[in-house]
Amino acid sequence: MSVRRGRETRLLVERVDLSVERGQVCGIVGETGAGKTLTARALLGLLAPGLRAEGTAWLGDREIDASTPAKQRRELLGRDMGIVTQNPAGMLDPVMKVGRQLVEGVVRRRLLSDAEAVARAREMLSFVGFKDSDGVWELYP
């Protein structure tokens, strides 16, 4: 997988090759600015406008490349692949309340009902140390 800006000849990320077996998790570690986030975003189809990915990734027997429709990639997000960045709080949508964001993926993929997802997310907020999980639920990031 490589990433470049528009039609520039200079690559921002050059020839990254990863292999992750079923059931394994892959962590990418490196210096700030080394291209970790760009690489992950390219694999997930989440590159900012003006950037483009080149190359092919395989998820099981599924080929994923630049021609894979965004809808198909979104179906894989959270279930088969995902990203946690250096600043995971920066991944939250600033115009959507925290609680809704915590349950959005599992409800959309029908992994839990809305009520089950809300109960579990509030439980997890308490588990990680938020004393007022109801208050946090209603906050914007």
Side-chain angles (χ1 to χ4, degrees):
M1 180 73 52
S2 298
V3 178
R4 75 174 73 235
R5 185 182 343 261
R7 298 187 188 278
E8 289 182 20
T9 56
R10 185 176 63 94
L11 292 169
L12 302 174
V13 174
E14 187 172 1
R15 295 187 314 249
V16 174
D17 184 16
L18 300 170
S19 178
V20 183
E21 299 297 322
R22 179 179 295 276
Q24 290 186 328
V25 174
C26 175
I28 303 173
V29 180
E31 294 181 25
T32 300
K36 303 175 298 292
T37 301
L38 275 179
T39 299
R41 286 181 171 277
L43 288 167
L44 298 172
L46 300 173
L47 285 174
L51 298 179
R52 64 184 173 94
E54 300 171 345
T56 302
W58 289 88
L59 181 63
D61 59 354
R62 277 192 193 147
E63 182 178 10
I64 303 168
D65 62 19
S67 68
T68 303
K71 183 176 189 268
Q72 285 182 9
R73 288 179 191 235
R74 280 193 303 273
E75 290 171 358
L76 300 172
L77 288 174
R79 185 188 51 172
D80 297 310
M81 56 187 192
I83 180 175
V84 178
T85 63
Q86 291 171 310
N87 176 14
M91 293 301 289
L92 294 174
D93 185 336
V95 298
M96 181 187 271
K97 291 182 179 180
V98 169
R100 190 50 32 206
Q101 291 185 67
L102 293 176
V103 300
E104 179 184 36
V106 295
V107 170
R108 187 171 4 126
R109 287 172 184 78
R110 296 186 179 108
L111 300 173
L112 295 173
S113 71
D114 194 57
E116 292 169 324
V118 167
R120 183 74 172 136
R122 287 179 189 246
E123 179 185 325
M124 290 293 99
L125 284 170
S126 294
F127 179 76
V128 298
F130 289 103
K131 304 230 182 297
D132 179 16
S133 63
D134 291 338
V136 171
W137 190 265
E138 293 298 321
L139 292 176
Y140 290 92

